[in-house]
Amino acid sequence: MKVDEIHRVMALLREEYASWRTPAVTIVAECERSPFKVLVSCIISLRTKDEVTAAASARMFARADSAERMLKLAEDEIAALIYPAGFYRTKAGQIHGIAHRLVTEFGGNVPDEMEDLLRFRGVGRKTANLVLTLGFGKPGICVDTHVHRICNRLGYVSTRSPEQTEMALRAQLPGEYWIAINDLLVAFGQNHCHPISPRCTTCRIAEFCSRVGVKTSR
Ligand code: SF4
């Protein structure tokens, strides 16, 4: 894929987006732009299916929709609310610990700087970027496994890790797509360009794709 073809690719993906399931964390952000909710639902979503994340987030926020309220819950209660999310006990400890630091160090508010977010236990660049983009509307590029895989398949980047992909995208992706690319490629990856056997024969962006590393497809 040539670098300047990104505009056409993003336009085609936007046309297709309406027919795909919306990623769970995006649904949380669309309902209400709450950095706290984006942060917590992103932690719940790691290694967890989207439908489980959506249901667990809804149960969690019905009981505690702020750091102050979350801090009043015991870790066991948080674990029970987010079960069966993957690693729910570990995540319950992380969520409780984050709530404690938010209340004691940040006045109950989620900070809007990458450096501050990365200092929370359980928060990596993917989560921090999602909080900045979906929670605060600030520039950032959230690179998860779908964004990393698809950008490399397209031949738009040539990288070995999501972090390298984020840096490559920061260098060449036009700013107008920084926030949108995660949502579009996560939905595309979940619904069409699957990790194993992507649906290349019916792909709207196939003419732009170098199919790097694709061994089997439909
Ligand atoms: Fe993914 Fe295949 Fe489409 Fe390339 S052509 S983006 S590998 S589905």
Side-chain angles (χ1 to χ4, degrees):
M1 175 184 156
K2 299 192 191 96
V3 170
D4 60 357
E5 289 172 340
I6 191 67
H7 300 287
R8 190 76 190 111
V9 165
M10 295 300 274
L12 287 167
L13 291 175
R14 279 191 165 132
E15 280 178 26
E16 293 290 295
Y17 184 78
S19 65
W20 298 327
R21 273 183 300 120
T22 309
V25 177
T26 308
I27 293 173
V28 171
E30 278 173 353
C31 294
E32 181 189 354
R33 179 173 279 185
S34 159
F36 178 73
K37 288 186 177 179
V38 172
L39 174 56
V40 171
S41 62
C42 193
I43 288 172
I44 294 172
S45 76
L46 303 175
R47 306 255 190 134
T48 300
K49 288 192 171 144
D50 251 27
E51 47 272 31
V52 173
T53 298
S57 297
R59 281 194 301 276
M60 182 81 266
F61 299 139
R63 286 289 304 280
D65 60 358
S66 68
E68 288 85 357
R69 291 199 187 98
M70 191 71 75
L71 196 50
K72 290 189 178 131
L73 298 180
E75 281 186 34
D76 282 354
E77 288 178 276
I78 298 173
L81 285 164
I82 65 174
Y83 177 85
F87 306 100
Y88 61 96
R89 289 196 184 282
T90 303
K91 289 175 182 175
Q94 290 169 345
I95 291 168
H96 194 271
I98 287 171
H100 182 263
R101 286 196 57 201
L102 289 178
V103 169
T104 55
E105 297 177 34
F106 295 94
N109 300 312
V110 175
D112 63 353
E113 295 296 336
M114 173 73 81
E115 301 71 42
D116 290 330
L117 289 165
L118 289 175
R119 284 195 204 104
F120 289 106
R121 192 164 66 91
V123 175
R125 290 195 69 86
K126 176 190 147 188
T127 299
N129 270 302
L130 214 55
V131 171
L132 292 177
T133 55
L134 296 185
F136 290 103
K138 290 182 79 170
I141 305 178
C142 177
V143 176
D144 75 339
T145 179
H146 296 290
V147 177
H148 174 60
R149 178 182 74 254
I150 295 167
C151 285
N152 275 279
R153 277 181 176 171
L154 287 169
Y156 188 59
V157 302
S158 178
T159 55
R160 300 173 75 92
S161 69
E163 192 160 328
Q164 285 181 8
T165 299
E166 184 195 332
M167 298 312 156
L169 290 176
R170 281 178 180 270
Q172 71 187 46
L173 182 68
E176 65 197 281
Y177 304 127
W178 279 30
I179 292 180
I181 193 169
N182 176 269
D183 203 16
L184 286 171
L185 292 191
V186 170
F188 184 49
Q190 288 176 340
N191 292 275
H192 201 101
C193 187
H194 304 289
I196 297 167
S197 196
R199 299 172 180 272
C200 298
T201 52
T202 55
C203 178
R204 290 282 307 277
I205 61 172
E207 65 180 291
F208 305 106
C209 181
S210 307
R211 302 180 70 226
V212 175
V214 175
K215 293 192 171 61
T216 56
S217 64
R218 289 174 271 175

